């Protein structure tokens, strides 16, 4: 399977999946500009508002291009540095919310291991327009299975590694996150681990995404969820100021 990414694929995905936000933003911007000719707006206030709108519309694209297109994230060197054992007796999971850009990459890095891909998307619970659009263009790994977020159909202590790559922030309720992570803990072997990649609700992501950073969760919330699910280790590594890699067991 060809896993080479197109130029600017990351930022183009952001534009495509969130086009409702950009359409609304540009309409609002046009109305503000038009109001200048109707109301006698103070020039300073007018330009402050215009620049704020332009910042809010363009900064997420610049940051997304940096993170997804120029930082080397999809080269997965960060995963290679973890030196995960790759043998025929290893069994890994990649769990997503219906948009999958990573399974074929993981398979190429860990070709000897067995990889199962699960999709926990539930149209009634996970209603973000962006993820609905993303599902329509997602790659589909062979034998991908649909699951409920509260039930992973595997035996206890059967998995070596679980990859949660920019996916489980789509689980919005805390209790659902905890139940999902309890299932991850149940199916992991005693020395198994969960590798999670997420943007955080923190200052760098506020600078990048303004109010859009509320779509993510803080490190404290993730730590609380993992601890409630029974994990005893929660280690963070920053990949760019805007993205965190968590290694948990």
């Amino acid at each position: 399977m060809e896993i080479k990414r197109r130029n600017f694929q990351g930022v183009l995905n952001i534009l495509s999946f969130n086009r409702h936000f950009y359409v609304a933003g540009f309409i609002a911007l046009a109305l503000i500009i038009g109001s200048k000719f109707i109301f006698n707006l103070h020039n300073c206030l007018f330009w402050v508002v215009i620049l704020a709108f332009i910042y809010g519309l363009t900064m997420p694209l610049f940051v997304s291009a940096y993170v997804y297109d120029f930082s080397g994230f999809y080269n997965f060197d960060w995963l290679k540095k973890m030196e995960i054992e790759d043998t025929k007796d290893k069994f890994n999971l990649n769990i997503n919310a219906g948009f999958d850009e990573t399974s074929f990459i993981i398979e190429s890095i860990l070709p000897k291991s067995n990889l199962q891909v699960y999709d926990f998307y539930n149209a009634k619970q996970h209603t973000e327009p962006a993820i609905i659009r993303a599902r329509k263009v997602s790659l589909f790994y062979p034998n991908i299975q649909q699951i409920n977020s509260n039930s992973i159909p595997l035996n206890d202590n059967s998995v070596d590694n679980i990859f949660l790559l920019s996916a489980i922030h789509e689980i919005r309720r805390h209790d659902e996150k905890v139940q999902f992570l309890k299932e991850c803990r149940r199916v992991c072997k005693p020395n198994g681990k969960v590798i999670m990649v997420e943007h955080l609700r923190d200052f760098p992501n506020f600078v990048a995404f303004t109010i859009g950073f509320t779509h993510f969760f803080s490190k404290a919330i993730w730590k609380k969820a993992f601890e409630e699910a029974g994990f005893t280790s929660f280690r963070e590594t920053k990949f760019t100021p805007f993205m965190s890699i968590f290694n948990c067991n």
Side-chain angles (χ1 to χ4, degrees):
M1 176 70 186
E2 176 63 51
I3 57 177
K4 181 177 173 60
R5 291 172 64 81
R6 295 175 294 140
N7 292 334
F8 298 100
Q9 182 173 329
V11 72
L12 291 173
N13 283 344
I14 297 297
L15 275 171
S16 176
F17 303 158
N18 296 282
R19 57 183 178 269
H20 58 291
F21 168 79
Y22 285 95
V23 169
F26 280 113
I27 290 173
L29 185 61
L31 291 174
I32 292 170
I33 293 173
S35 70
K36 174 69 172 167
F37 301 96
I38 300 174
F39 305 102
N40 188 24
L41 296 178
H42 191 281
N43 276 340
C44 182
L45 175 62
F46 173 76
W47 284 110
V48 166
V49 173
I50 291 296
L51 291 174
F53 262 85
I54 292 174
Y55 179 93
L57 291 170
T58 59
M59 184 56 71
L61 301 181
F62 287 123
V63 172
S64 296
Y66 165 54
V67 172
Y68 297 114
D69 297 314
F70 295 106
S71 71
F73 174 74
Y74 281 100
N75 295 336
F76 272 45
D77 288 337
W78 56 269
L79 181 59
K80 295 171 188 174
K81 290 177 182 177
M82 294 183 182
E83 298 181 343
I84 295 174
E85 189 176 354
D86 181 31
T87 57
K88 290 183 178 180
D89 63 330
K90 298 300 180 184
F91 180 39
N92 302 320
L93 298 183
N94 189 25
I95 305 180
N96 62 66
F99 179 60
D100 185 5
E101 290 188 306
T102 60
S103 292
F104 288 103
I105 301 175
I106 293 170
E107 181 187 50
S108 71
I109 294 171
L110 303 170
K112 297 177 184 177
S113 303
N114 297 303
L115 178 65
Q116 174 63 54
V117 180
Y118 289 141
D119 169 9
F120 65 76
Y121 174 78
N122 183 313
K124 293 181 179 179
Q125 294 175 283
H126 313 133
T127 58
E128 289 285 336
I131 194 62
I132 294 172
R133 294 190 183 110
R135 287 176 59 81
K136 296 178 181 179
V137 297
S138 177
L139 296 174
F140 286 95
Y141 190 81
N143 300 317
I144 186 171
Q145 294 183 31
Q146 192 85 27
I147 64 170
N148 294 321
S149 61
N150 63 356
S151 179
I152 297 176
L154 293 171
N155 294 330
D156 296 358
N157 306 320
S158 58
V159 178
D160 292 283
N161 301 286
I162 300 178
F163 300 101
L164 309 174
L165 308 182
S166 298
I168 65 169
H169 64 269
E170 300 297 344
I171 300 177
R172 307 306 298 173
R173 296 196 337 262
H174 183 76
D175 62 325
E176 186 184 355
K177 281 199 289 288
V178 172
Q179 184 57 48
F180 171 76
L181 292 172
K182 282 183 177 179
E183 279 294 283
C184 291
R185 177 68 269 172
R186 177 185 66 80
V187 301
C188 272
K189 295 177 181 178
N191 61 343
K193 55 191 172 184
V194 169
I195 298 168
M196 180 179 77
V197 175
E198 285 289 345
H199 290 281
L200 297 179
R201 190 181 297 180
D202 57 11
F203 182 72
N205 281 294
F206 171 71
V207 172
F209 301 106
T210 63
I211 60 172
F213 90 135
T214 59
H215 184 58
F216 310 120
F217 296 97
S218 69
K219 179 180 177 180
I221 287 177
W222 284 121
K223 188 173 187 293
K224 185 173 186 290
F226 273 90
E227 287 176 348
E228 290 181 14
F231 288 82
T232 57
S233 176
F234 183 77
R235 299 181 299 277
E236 178 189 18
T237 302
K238 294 300 291 188
F239 185 87
T240 79
F242 309 102
M243 184 175 283
S244 295
I245 300 167
F246 296 95
N247 193 330
C248 313
N249 53 28

